[in-house]
Amino acid sequence: MSEARATMRARFVAEMGHVGIPLVVGFALCQVWLSLCFFAPQLFPQNASVKVYEISLVVSAVSLLPAFVRPKRFEALLENGRAILGTALCASVGTLMIPFSSGDSMTDMLLQLCAGVLTGLASGWLFVAWYQAFCKAGDLIGFVLGSFANSLFMYLFTTVAYLPDVSPWIMVFVACAAPIASAVLLVRCPVCSSFASEVKLPARHTKEYRSLVVLCCSIFFVSFVDEFMRNFYLEGSDLQFYSGSLNLVLVVVKTVSIIMLVAIIASHGHQMSLAYRFSLLLTMTAVLLMPYVQHWPYFMYGITNFGAFLFKTMISILAFNFCRSYRIAPLLVFSLTRIAFSLDLLLGFVSFKAYQAAAPGASDLLGLLSVAMGLLVVTIYSFVFTDRYGASLFAIADAPDSMQGAFSEKCDRIVQVGRLSKREADVLRLIAKGRSTPRIQEELSISVNTVNSHTSHIYQKLGIHSRQELLDLLESTAPASSE
C-alpha cells in the first residue's frame, strides 16, 4: 500500500511539474473577464440592462460556426497572435460599453448591441483558442487548474470590489484589462504543432460520434439547470455571493477537491466515479430543495456552485481526452461544446424569466420544475459517465493498461523495420503517445534540436513525412508476434 501511495505521489509531482503556469493564469483571467463582464451591471444600481448578456450569448454561438465551414483557416486564425490580441481588444471595448448602456434610448440600444456583439465574439473565440492551446500542448492538469484559479481570482477581485472606498470603476478597469492580459499570455506561449489530429468531425454511427453527442448534451442540459438555479437563488446578487464568506469556504473546499482530482487524473482516473457521484448528489440536493429553502439562497447556491464546478471540471477532462484519444481537432470539439454552453445559458436565463412571469398564477409550478430538472440531471449523469460512453476517457490520454502490450509490440515492430537507434526508438514511442516536442525534450532530457533531429531521422528511415503518417503506420502495423 505504501509503495502504491509513493508511486501515485511521484506521478502527481511529475504531472504538476509539466504544468504551464502562464497558461493556467491566462486561462483563469479569461474566465474572470467573462464573469465580470456579465455581472458588471450589478456594480451600477442604475444599470439594469440584461440585453447585452442575451445578445452576447447568441453572438458567441454564431461566431463559432465558421469552425465547421473552414476549419483549417479558423484553426490558424485562433493561433495567430494579432487575431488573438484583436479579439481581446474587442472584449475590452465591449466590456467598457456596458456601464453606459442602461437606458432605453436609441443610443443606449446601439451601445447594448455593440457591447453584446464584441463580448460575444470574444467569449467564443478566446475560449476556444485557450482550449485548443491546452489540448495541443497536452497539458490536462493545467487545463483543470485554470478553472480552479478562476474561482480564486473571482473571490479576490470581488472582495476588493465591495470594499467601502473602492470605486466600481476599478472593477470595470479590471474587467477590461483581464482579456488583454489573458491574450498576451496566450500569444507568448509557444504554438504546439506536434499534435496530429483530423480537422473533421467523427463519422455518424461510430463510437466517437455517439460520445461527442452525449458530451454536448450533458453540457447543454446540466449547464441549463445551473443557470436557472443561479438566477433563482441569486437574482442579480452574484458579485455579493462571490465576495462573501461562504464563497471563501467554497474556495478552500475547491482547493482540496482540485488536489484530489489532479491525483485521480495522475493515477489514470480510476477513482473519478467518486467525484461524479458526489457532484450528482450536490446538484440533486440543490434542485430538489428549491421549493423549500428559498430563505437560504446563498447557502443553496453554494451547493449548486460546487456541484457545477465538479461537473464542469469532469466534462472538461472528457472533452480534452476525447480530442487526444480520438485525434479529433480541438477546434471542432470545443467549438461544439462552447456553442452548447452559450445556448444553454441563454435557455436557462429565458426559462427563469418565464418562470417569474408564470409563478404568481401557478402555485405548484416550482415543485414541478424541481422534479423535472431533477430527472434531467439524473438522466444526463447516467449516460455521460458510463463505461460505454465516457468513463474510460477520464484517464490521461495514453493507451489503456489492457492495450499497452499491443501498443508496445507495434512500436517494437516499427523500430525493427526502420532499424531505429535506441534514442530514436524512445522518441518514436513518445510521439506515438501524443507527446509534444517540448514534453519529449523534458522527459528525455535532450534539446529541442535533438528531438527534431531524431524525428527527422525516424521519418527518413520509415519513408514518411509527418506525425500523422507515423500514427497511421503505427495503427496499421501488426505486432511482431502475429507474423
Side-chain angles (χ1 to χ4, degrees):
M1 181 65 71
S2 59
E3 183 178 350
R5 289 179 179 177
T7 302
M8 179 180 290
R9 188 180 301 110
R11 187 172 180 85
F12 174 86
V13 173
E15 292 297 333
M16 290 296 294
H18 295 302
V19 172
I21 300 302
L23 282 174
V24 172
V25 174
F27 184 43
L29 288 175
C30 186
Q31 297 173 81
V32 166
W33 157 70
L34 191 60
S35 297
L36 293 179
C37 170
F38 285 158
F39 302 152
Q42 297 175 24
L43 296 169
F44 301 89
Q46 301 302 320
N47 190 338
S49 172
V50 295
K51 293 184 177 65
V52 172
Y53 180 60
E54 299 173 81
I55 295 170
S56 181
L57 292 174
V58 174
V59 172
S60 177
V62 174
S63 71
L64 294 173
L65 293 180
F68 308 100
V69 180
R70 295 291 181 90
K72 291 186 177 180
R73 289 188 179 182
F74 200 68
E75 184 179 45
L77 179 66
L78 296 185
E79 292 179 344
N80 182 281
R82 292 182 179 180
I84 292 172
L85 291 173
T87 304
L89 183 61
C90 289
S92 296
V93 173
T95 302
L96 186 60
M97 290 180 176
I98 294 176
F100 301 100
S101 62
S102 59
D104 294 323
S105 67
M106 184 61 67
T107 301
D108 292 324
M109 294 176 66
L110 183 60
L111 284 173
Q112 291 170 14
L113 178 62
C114 291
V117 170
L118 292 175
T119 57
L121 176 69
S123 68
W125 289 19
L126 271 183
F127 273 84
V128 173
W130 272 111
Y131 298 149
Q132 182 171 277
F134 273 110
C135 197
K136 287 193 172 185
D139 191 357
L140 174 58
I141 305 296
F143 189 36
V144 172
L145 290 178
S147 297
F148 163 71
N150 166 51
S151 299
L152 179 60
F153 287 171
M154 276 297 293
Y155 173 74
L156 295 176
F157 287 141
T158 53
T159 299
V160 172
Y162 277 97
L163 291 176
D165 298 329
V166 175
S167 167
W169 287 101
I170 297 296
M171 288 307 297
V172 174
F173 171 77
V174 171
C176 292
I180 300 295
S182 174
V184 169
L185 289 171
L186 178 58
V187 169
R188 293 184 63 181
C189 292
V191 176
C192 182
S193 58
S194 58
F195 174 60
S197 61
E198 293 289 337
V199 191
K200 62 179 181 180
L201 292 173
R204 291 190 176 186
H205 310 299
T206 62
K207 175 185 176 182
E208 293 86 349
Y209 181 82
R210 291 192 297 270
S211 297
L212 187 57
V213 169
V214 171
L215 184 65
C216 291
C217 288
S218 66
I219 292 174
F220 184 90
F221 289 114
V222 173
S223 294
F224 156 73
V225 172
D226 178 50
E227 177 68 1
F228 185 94
M229 303 278 283
R230 182 184 69 81
N231 282 279
F232 178 80
Y233 284 123
L234 299 185
E235 292 193 72
S237 60
D238 305 81
L239 292 183
Q240 293 180 17
F241 168 80
Y242 283 114
S243 63
S245 57
L246 176 60
N247 191 42
L248 176 59
V249 175
L250 280 179
V251 169
V252 174
V253 174
K254 288 177 181 178
T255 302
V256 176
S257 300
I258 210 70
I259 293 174
M260 294 177 63
L261 284 174
V262 170
I264 290 172
I265 294 170
S267 64
H268 292 283
H270 297 313
Q271 297 176 330
M272 190 64 76
S273 61
L274 297 176
Y276 79 72
R277 287 171 185 167
F278 188 52
S279 173
L280 171 62
L281 177 62
L282 292 172
T283 305
M284 287 298 296
T285 299
V287 169
L288 296 179
L289 292 182
M290 272 199 306
Y292 311 106
V293 290
Q294 299 180 54
H295 300 297
W296 300 343
Y298 281 9
F299 178 75
M300 292 309 300
Y301 182 67
I303 294 176
T304 305
N305 180 270
F306 185 51
F309 168 78
L310 288 177
F311 177 82
K312 291 174 182 177
T313 300
M314 290 183 290
I315 284 294
S316 297
I317 295 170
L318 283 175
F320 183 100
N321 282 341
F322 181 90
C323 297
R324 301 287 300 187
S325 297
Y326 295 134
R327 303 289 171 181
I328 305 298
L331 169 73
L332 299 178
V333 174
F334 286 108
S335 290
L336 275 176
T337 58
R338 194 68 194 172
I339 289 172
F341 181 72
S342 298
L343 293 180
D344 66 50
L345 289 185
L346 181 62
L347 179 62
F349 177 78
V350 172
S351 298
F352 176 73
K353 292 299 179 182
Y355 159 76
Q356 279 186 315
S363 58
D364 296 331
L365 180 59
L366 185 58
L368 292 174
L369 280 174
S370 174
V371 172
M373 287 193 293
L375 291 174
L376 184 61
V377 169
V378 169
T379 301
I380 292 299
Y381 272 78
S382 298
F383 278 97
V384 74
F385 297 116
T386 58
D387 290 335
R388 179 182 177 187
Y389 286 106
S392 61
L393 290 176
F394 276 128
I396 293 175
D398 290 334
D401 294 339
S402 62
M403 297 173 60
Q404 288 290 344
F407 171 81
S408 180
E409 289 183 14
K410 288 185 177 183
C411 288
D412 291 342
R413 178 62 174 164
I414 291 180
V415 169
Q416 293 174 7
V417 170
R419 297 182 178 180
L420 305 183
S421 68
K422 181 180 183 303
R423 184 57 83 183
E424 288 169 351
D426 293 338
V427 173
L428 167 73
R429 289 184 172 87
L430 292 177
I431 291 175
K433 290 183 177 181
R435 297 291 196 267
S436 64
T437 297
R439 184 76 177 269
I440 295 174
Q441 173 201 357
E442 292 181 12
E443 293 195 21
L444 298 181
S445 299
I446 56 180
S447 68
V448 172
N449 290 336
T450 304
V451 175
N452 291 334
S453 177
H454 286 317
T455 303
S456 178
H457 292 158
I458 292 170
Y459 290 171
Q460 290 175 4
K461 291 180 179 181
L462 295 177
I464 56 178
H465 304 89
S466 67
R467 287 198 174 211
Q468 186 58 56
E469 289 186 27
L470 175 58
L471 295 173
D472 292 341
L473 181 62
L474 180 70
E475 190 68 26
S476 60
T477 298
S481 60
S482 67
E483 285 189 330

